[in-house]
PDB file of all heavy atoms in Angstrom:
ATOM      1  N   CYS Q 124      -3.620  57.432 -20.527  1.00 94.00           N
ATOM      2  CA  CYS Q 124      -3.277  56.150 -21.131  1.00 94.00           C
ATOM      3  C   CYS Q 124      -3.835  54.958 -20.365  1.00 94.00           C
ATOM      4  O   CYS Q 124      -3.816  53.831 -20.883  1.00 94.00           O
ATOM      5  CB  CYS Q 124      -1.763  56.005 -21.268  1.00 94.00           C
ATOM      6  SG  CYS Q 124      -0.845  56.188 -19.727  1.00 94.00           S
ATOM      7  N   GLU Q 125      -4.347  55.173 -19.151  1.00 95.00           N
ATOM      8  CA  GLU Q 125      -4.857  54.043 -18.375  1.00 95.00           C
ATOM      9  C   GLU Q 125      -5.838  54.524 -17.323  1.00 95.00           C
ATOM     10  O   GLU Q 125      -5.687  55.609 -16.753  1.00 95.00           O
ATOM     11  CB  GLU Q 125      -3.699  53.291 -17.698  1.00 95.00           C
ATOM     12  CG  GLU Q 125      -4.111  52.043 -16.941  1.00 95.00           C
ATOM     13  CD  GLU Q 125      -2.920  51.283 -16.376  1.00 95.00           C
ATOM     14  OE1 GLU Q 125      -1.820  51.345 -16.978  1.00 95.00           O
ATOM     15  OE2 GLU Q 125      -3.079  50.633 -15.328  1.00 95.00           O
ATOM     16  N   CYS Q 126      -6.862  53.725 -17.066  1.00 95.00           N
ATOM     17  CA  CYS Q 126      -7.803  53.953 -15.970  1.00 95.00           C
ATOM     18  C   CYS Q 126      -8.146  52.600 -15.371  1.00 95.00           C
ATOM     19  O   CYS Q 126      -8.137  51.576 -16.062  1.00 95.00           O
ATOM     20  CB  CYS Q 126      -9.097  54.608 -16.455  1.00 95.00           C
ATOM     21  SG  CYS Q 126      -8.966  56.352 -16.842  1.00 95.00           S
ATOM     22  N   GLY Q 127      -8.487  52.587 -14.091  1.00 93.00           N
ATOM     23  CA  GLY Q 127      -8.880  51.315 -13.508  1.00 93.00           C
ATOM     24  C   GLY Q 127      -9.421  51.446 -12.101  1.00 93.00           C
ATOM     25  O   GLY Q 127      -9.394  52.516 -11.487  1.00 93.00           O
ATOM     26  N   PHE Q 128      -9.942  50.333 -11.617  1.00 93.00           N
ATOM     27  CA  PHE Q 128     -10.394  50.230 -10.235  1.00 93.00           C
ATOM     28  C   PHE Q 128     -10.167  48.798  -9.779  1.00 93.00           C
ATOM     29  O   PHE Q 128     -10.103  47.867 -10.585  1.00 93.00           O
ATOM     30  CB  PHE Q 128     -11.879  50.607 -10.101  1.00 93.00           C
ATOM     31  CG  PHE Q 128     -12.816  49.662 -10.816  1.00 93.00           C
ATOM     32  CD1 PHE Q 128     -13.300  48.524 -10.183  1.00 93.00           C
ATOM     33  CD2 PHE Q 128     -13.204  49.906 -12.123  1.00 93.00           C
ATOM     34  CE1 PHE Q 128     -14.155  47.648 -10.847  1.00 93.00           C
ATOM     35  CE2 PHE Q 128     -14.056  49.032 -12.793  1.00 93.00           C
ATOM     36  CZ  PHE Q 128     -14.536  47.900 -12.153  1.00 93.00           C
ATOM     37  N   GLU Q 129     -10.049  48.609  -8.472  1.00 91.00           N
ATOM     38  CA  GLU Q 129      -9.896  47.259  -7.939  1.00 91.00           C
ATOM     39  C   GLU Q 129     -10.336  47.220  -6.487  1.00 91.00           C
ATOM     40  O   GLU Q 129     -10.034  48.122  -5.708  1.00 91.00           O
ATOM     41  CB  GLU Q 129      -8.458  46.763  -8.051  1.00 91.00           C
ATOM     42  CG  GLU Q 129      -8.291  45.329  -7.561  1.00 91.00           C
ATOM     43  CD  GLU Q 129      -6.934  44.740  -7.874  1.00 91.00           C
ATOM     44  OE1 GLU Q 129      -6.033  45.495  -8.300  1.00 91.00           O
ATOM     45  OE2 GLU Q 129      -6.763  43.516  -7.682  1.00 91.00           O
ATOM     46  N   GLU Q 130     -11.069  46.184  -6.153  1.00 88.00           N
ATOM     47  CA  GLU Q 130     -11.404  45.873  -4.766  1.00 88.00           C
ATOM     48  C   GLU Q 130     -10.599  44.623  -4.409  1.00 88.00           C
ATOM     49  O   GLU Q 130     -10.899  43.530  -4.870  1.00 88.00           O
ATOM     50  CB  GLU Q 130     -12.899  45.620  -4.604  1.00 88.00           C
ATOM     51  CG  GLU Q 130     -13.317  45.334  -3.167  1.00 88.00           C
ATOM     52  CD  GLU Q 130     -14.820  45.180  -3.024  1.00 88.00           C
ATOM     53  OE1 GLU Q 130     -15.534  45.425  -4.008  1.00 88.00           O
ATOM     54  OE2 GLU Q 130     -15.253  44.810  -1.923  1.00 88.00           O
ATOM     55  N   CYS Q 131      -9.561  44.808  -3.616  1.00 86.00           N
ATOM     56  CA  CYS Q 131      -8.586  43.749  -3.401  1.00 86.00           C
ATOM     57  C   CYS Q 131      -9.055  42.728  -2.366  1.00 86.00           C
ATOM     58  O   CYS Q 131      -9.747  43.065  -1.403  1.00 86.00           O
ATOM     59  CB  CYS Q 131      -7.256  44.340  -2.946  1.00 86.00           C
ATOM     60  SG  CYS Q 131      -6.430  45.329  -4.198  1.00 86.00           S
ATOM     61  N   ARG Q 132      -8.617  41.513  -2.554  1.00 79.00           N
ATOM     62  CA  ARG Q 132      -8.805  40.461  -1.559  1.00 79.00           C
ATOM     63  C   ARG Q 132      -7.658  40.527  -0.553  1.00 79.00           C
ATOM     64  O   ARG Q 132      -6.557  40.973  -0.886  1.00 79.00           O
ATOM     65  CB  ARG Q 132      -8.825  39.084  -2.231  1.00 79.00           C
ATOM     66  CG  ARG Q 132     -10.000  38.896  -3.189  1.00 79.00           C
ATOM     67  CD  ARG Q 132      -9.955  37.525  -3.835  1.00 79.00           C
ATOM     68  NE  ARG Q 132     -11.059  37.331  -4.761  1.00 79.00           N
ATOM     69  CZ  ARG Q 132     -12.261  36.879  -4.401  1.00 79.00           C
ATOM     70  NH1 ARG Q 132     -12.478  36.560  -3.121  1.00 79.00           N
ATOM     71  NH2 ARG Q 132     -13.215  36.722  -5.288  1.00 79.00           N
ATOM     72  N   PRO Q 133      -7.895  40.067   0.696  1.00 75.00           N
ATOM     73  CA  PRO Q 133      -6.838  40.138   1.713  1.00 75.00           C
ATOM     74  C   PRO Q 133      -5.580  39.374   1.322  1.00 75.00           C
ATOM     75  O   PRO Q 133      -4.476  39.716   1.743  1.00 75.00           O
ATOM     76  CB  PRO Q 133      -7.495  39.507   2.949  1.00 75.00           C
ATOM     77  CG  PRO Q 133      -8.964  39.624   2.713  1.00 75.00           C
ATOM     78  CD  PRO Q 133      -9.147  39.531   1.230  1.00 75.00           C
ATOM     79  N   THR Q 134      -5.744  38.335   0.496  1.00 74.00           N
ATOM     80  CA  THR Q 134      -4.616  37.472   0.156  1.00 74.00           C
ATOM     81  C   THR Q 134      -3.888  37.905  -1.115  1.00 74.00           C
ATOM     82  O   THR Q 134      -2.983  37.217  -1.572  1.00 74.00           O
ATOM     83  CB  THR Q 134      -5.109  36.025  -0.033  1.00 74.00           C
ATOM     84  OG1 THR Q 134      -6.161  36.011  -1.017  1.00 74.00           O
ATOM     85  CG2 THR Q 134      -5.634  35.473   1.280  1.00 74.00           C
ATOM     86  N   LYS Q 135      -4.283  39.040  -1.701  1.00 70.00           N
ATOM     87  CA  LYS Q 135      -3.642  39.457  -2.948  1.00 70.00           C
ATOM     88  C   LYS Q 135      -2.159  39.752  -2.708  1.00 70.00           C
ATOM     89  O   LYS Q 135      -1.810  40.490  -1.786  1.00 70.00           O
ATOM     90  CB  LYS Q 135      -4.315  40.699  -3.516  1.00 70.00           C
ATOM     91  CG  LYS Q 135      -3.647  41.131  -4.817  1.00 70.00           C
ATOM     92  CD  LYS Q 135      -4.302  42.317  -5.455  1.00 70.00           C
ATOM     93  CE  LYS Q 135      -3.541  42.670  -6.731  1.00 70.00           C
ATOM     94  NZ  LYS Q 135      -4.133  43.774  -7.456  1.00 70.00           N
ATOM     95  N   PRO Q 136      -1.256  39.187  -3.525  1.00 67.00           N
ATOM     96  CA  PRO Q 136       0.178  39.465  -3.358  1.00 67.00           C
ATOM     97  C   PRO Q 136       0.506  40.891  -3.760  1.00 67.00           C
ATOM     98  O   PRO Q 136      -0.287  41.576  -4.404  1.00 67.00           O
ATOM     99  CB  PRO Q 136       0.837  38.457  -4.300  1.00 67.00           C
ATOM    100  CG  PRO Q 136      -0.191  38.223  -5.358  1.00 67.00           C
ATOM    101  CD  PRO Q 136      -1.535  38.287  -4.647  1.00 67.00           C
ATOM    102  N   TYR Q 137       1.712  41.326  -3.371  1.00 68.00           N
ATOM    103  CA  TYR Q 137       2.077  42.698  -3.702  1.00 68.00           C
ATOM    104  C   TYR Q 137       2.337  42.844  -5.191  1.00 68.00           C
ATOM    105  O   TYR Q 137       2.661  41.899  -5.894  1.00 68.00           O
ATOM    106  CB  TYR Q 137       3.292  43.153  -2.894  1.00 68.00           C
ATOM    107  CG  TYR Q 137       4.607  42.505  -3.261  1.00 68.00           C
ATOM    108  CD1 TYR Q 137       5.327  42.931  -4.379  1.00 68.00           C
ATOM    109  CD2 TYR Q 137       5.149  41.489  -2.478  1.00 68.00           C
ATOM    110  CE1 TYR Q 137       6.528  42.357  -4.719  1.00 68.00           C
ATOM    111  CE2 TYR Q 137       6.357  40.904  -2.808  1.00 68.00           C
ATOM    112  CZ  TYR Q 137       7.053  41.353  -3.926  1.00 68.00           C
ATOM    113  OH  TYR Q 137       8.245  40.777  -4.254  1.00 68.00           O
ATOM    114  N   GLU Q 138       2.139  44.066  -5.672  1.00 62.00           N
ATOM    115  CA  GLU Q 138       2.390  44.395  -7.067  1.00 62.00           C
ATOM    116  C   GLU Q 138       3.817  44.940  -7.177  1.00 62.00           C
ATOM    117  O   GLU Q 138       4.312  45.610  -6.285  1.00 62.00           O
ATOM    118  CB  GLU Q 138       1.401  45.467  -7.524  1.00 62.00           C
ATOM    119  CG  GLU Q 138      -0.035  45.128  -7.233  1.00 62.00           C
ATOM    120  CD  GLU Q 138      -0.835  44.938  -8.506  1.00 62.00           C
ATOM    121  OE1 GLU Q 138      -0.244  45.009  -9.585  1.00 62.00           O
ATOM    122  OE2 GLU Q 138      -2.043  44.711  -8.397  1.00 62.00           O
ATOM    123  N   PHE Q 139       4.462  44.657  -8.284  1.00 66.00           N
ATOM    124  CA  PHE Q 139       5.792  45.205  -8.546  1.00 66.00           C
ATOM    125  C   PHE Q 139       5.867  45.489 -10.034  1.00 66.00           C
ATOM    126  O   PHE Q 139       6.040  44.577 -10.845  1.00 66.00           O
ATOM    127  CB  PHE Q 139       6.883  44.227  -8.125  1.00 66.00           C
ATOM    128  CG  PHE Q 139       8.277  44.751  -8.383  1.00 66.00           C
ATOM    129  CD1 PHE Q 139       8.800  45.732  -7.579  1.00 66.00           C
ATOM    130  CD2 PHE Q 139       9.040  44.272  -9.440  1.00 66.00           C
ATOM    131  CE1 PHE Q 139      10.084  46.231  -7.800  1.00 66.00           C
ATOM    132  CE2 PHE Q 139      10.321  44.765  -9.681  1.00 66.00           C
ATOM    133  CZ  PHE Q 139      10.847  45.751  -8.853  1.00 66.00           C
ATOM    134  N   ILE Q 140       5.668  46.744 -10.398  1.00 68.00           N
ATOM    135  CA  ILE Q 140       5.514  47.094 -11.809  1.00 68.00           C
ATOM    136  C   ILE Q 140       6.420  48.280 -12.153  1.00 68.00           C
ATOM    137  O   ILE Q 140       6.386  49.305 -11.482  1.00 68.00           O
ATOM    138  CB  ILE Q 140       4.050  47.466 -12.126  1.00 68.00           C
ATOM    139  CG1 ILE Q 140       3.109  46.331 -11.721  1.00 68.00           C
ATOM    140  CG2 ILE Q 140       3.888  47.796 -13.601  1.00 68.00           C
ATOM    141  CD1 ILE Q 140       1.648  46.695 -11.836  1.00 68.00           C
ATOM    142  N   LEU Q 141       7.218  48.118 -13.185  1.00 75.00           N
ATOM    143  CA  LEU Q 141       7.967  49.233 -13.740  1.00 75.00           C
ATOM    144  C   LEU Q 141       7.200  49.759 -14.947  1.00 75.00           C
ATOM    145  O   LEU Q 141       6.874  48.999 -15.862  1.00 75.00           O
ATOM    146  CB  LEU Q 141       9.369  48.795 -14.157  1.00 75.00           C
ATOM    147  CG  LEU Q 141      10.423  48.723 -13.045  1.00 75.00           C
ATOM    148  CD1 LEU Q 141      11.733  48.193 -13.618  1.00 75.00           C
ATOM    149  CD2 LEU Q 141      10.649  50.086 -12.417  1.00 75.00           C
ATOM    150  N   ILE Q 142       6.884  51.039 -14.948  1.00 86.00           N
ATOM    151  CA  ILE Q 142       6.083  51.632 -16.009  1.00 86.00           C
ATOM    152  C   ILE Q 142       6.797  52.856 -16.564  1.00 86.00           C
ATOM    153  O   ILE Q 142       7.702  53.413 -15.931  1.00 86.00           O
ATOM    154  CB  ILE Q 142       4.691  52.035 -15.490  1.00 86.00           C
ATOM    155  CG1 ILE Q 142       4.825  52.891 -14.222  1.00 86.00           C
ATOM    156  CG2 ILE Q 142       3.840  50.807 -15.207  1.00 86.00           C
ATOM    157  CD1 ILE Q 142       3.531  53.407 -13.681  1.00 86.00           C
ATOM    158  N   ASP Q 143       6.385  53.291 -17.751  1.00 90.00           N
ATOM    159  CA  ASP Q 143       7.013  54.459 -18.364  1.00 90.00           C
ATOM    160  C   ASP Q 143       6.074  55.660 -18.379  1.00 90.00           C
ATOM    161  O   ASP Q 143       6.203  56.558 -19.210  1.00 90.00           O
ATOM    162  CB  ASP Q 143       7.486  54.133 -19.782  1.00 90.00           C
ATOM    163  CG  ASP Q 143       6.341  53.742 -20.712  1.00 90.00           C
ATOM    164  OD1 ASP Q 143       5.184  53.620 -20.227  1.00 90.00           O
ATOM    165  OD2 ASP Q 143       6.591  53.559 -21.917  1.00 90.00           O
ATOM    166  N   TYR Q 144       5.098  55.663 -17.476  1.00 94.00           N
ATOM    167  CA  TYR Q 144       4.173  56.793 -17.366  1.00 94.00           C
ATOM    168  C   TYR Q 144       3.836  57.017 -15.894  1.00 94.00           C
ATOM    169  O   TYR Q 144       4.290  56.282 -15.017  1.00 94.00           O
ATOM    170  CB  TYR Q 144       2.905  56.556 -18.186  1.00 94.00           C
ATOM    171  CG  TYR Q 144       2.230  55.216 -17.942  1.00 94.00           C
ATOM    172  CD1 TYR Q 144       1.205  55.082 -17.004  1.00 94.00           C
ATOM    173  CD2 TYR Q 144       2.606  54.088 -18.665  1.00 94.00           C
ATOM    174  CE1 TYR Q 144       0.588  53.875 -16.789  1.00 94.00           C
ATOM    175  CE2 TYR Q 144       1.989  52.867 -18.462  1.00 94.00           C
ATOM    176  CZ  TYR Q 144       0.975  52.758 -17.514  1.00 94.00           C
ATOM    177  OH  TYR Q 144       0.368  51.552 -17.300  1.00 94.00           O
ATOM    178  N   TRP Q 145       3.066  58.050 -15.601  1.00 95.00           N
ATOM    179  CA  TRP Q 145       2.719  58.440 -14.232  1.00 95.00           C
ATOM    180  C   TRP Q 145       1.364  57.842 -13.863  1.00 95.00           C
ATOM    181  O   TRP Q 145       0.409  57.944 -14.626  1.00 95.00           O
ATOM    182  CB  TRP Q 145       2.636  59.965 -14.113  1.00 95.00           C
ATOM    183  CG  TRP Q 145       3.852  60.683 -14.591  1.00 95.00           C
ATOM    184  CD1 TRP Q 145       4.168  60.976 -15.895  1.00 95.00           C
ATOM    185  CD2 TRP Q 145       4.921  61.203 -13.805  1.00 95.00           C
ATOM    186  NE1 TRP Q 145       5.365  61.648 -15.961  1.00 95.00           N
ATOM    187  CE2 TRP Q 145       5.854  61.800 -14.690  1.00 95.00           C
ATOM    188  CE3 TRP Q 145       5.183  61.235 -12.437  1.00 95.00           C
ATOM    189  CZ2 TRP Q 145       7.020  62.419 -14.255  1.00 95.00           C
ATOM    190  CZ3 TRP Q 145       6.347  61.849 -11.995  1.00 95.00           C
ATOM    191  CH2 TRP Q 145       7.247  62.426 -12.878  1.00 95.00           C
ATOM    192  N   VAL Q 146       1.270  57.231 -12.694  1.00 96.00           N
ATOM    193  CA  VAL Q 146       0.011  56.638 -12.248  1.00 96.00           C
ATOM    194  C   VAL Q 146      -0.366  57.210 -10.884  1.00 96.00           C
ATOM    195  O   VAL Q 146       0.446  57.197  -9.948  1.00 96.00           O
ATOM    196  CB  VAL Q 146       0.094  55.102 -12.155  1.00 96.00           C
ATOM    197  CG1 VAL Q 146      -1.222  54.535 -11.643  1.00 96.00           C
ATOM    198  CG2 VAL Q 146       0.426  54.502 -13.509  1.00 96.00           C
ATOM    199  N   ILE Q 147      -1.592  57.719 -10.789  1.00 97.00           N
ATOM    200  CA  ILE Q 147      -2.108  58.256  -9.525  1.00 97.00           C
ATOM    201  C   ILE Q 147      -3.198  57.322  -9.007  1.00 97.00           C
ATOM    202  O   ILE Q 147      -4.185  57.072  -9.700  1.00 97.00           O
ATOM    203  CB  ILE Q 147      -2.695  59.662  -9.712  1.00 97.00           C
ATOM    204  CG1 ILE Q 147      -1.666  60.594 -10.345  1.00 97.00           C
ATOM    205  CG2 ILE Q 147      -3.160  60.228  -8.371  1.00 97.00           C
ATOM    206  CD1 ILE Q 147      -2.239  61.941 -10.738  1.00 97.00           C
ATOM    207  N   HIS Q 148      -3.004  56.791  -7.817  1.00 96.00           N
ATOM    208  CA  HIS Q 148      -3.982  55.930  -7.163  1.00 96.00           C
ATOM    209  C   HIS Q 148      -4.741  56.723  -6.098  1.00 96.00           C
ATOM    210  O   HIS Q 148      -4.159  57.580  -5.418  1.00 96.00           O
ATOM    211  CB  HIS Q 148      -3.302  54.749  -6.466  1.00 96.00           C
ATOM    212  CG  HIS Q 148      -2.710  53.741  -7.399  1.00 96.00           C
ATOM    213  ND1 HIS Q 148      -1.527  53.961  -8.062  1.00 96.00           N
ATOM    214  CD2 HIS Q 148      -3.134  52.501  -7.761  1.00 96.00           C
ATOM    215  CE1 HIS Q 148      -1.242  52.899  -8.803  1.00 96.00           C
ATOM    216  NE2 HIS Q 148      -2.191  52.008  -8.636  1.00 96.00           N
TER     217      HIS Q 148
END
């Protein structure tokens, strides 16, 4: 149901996400 990639910046705030599926990073 989802795919993605990200190259984060040092200043990126934390993520806080409630989801109804399984996500593997």
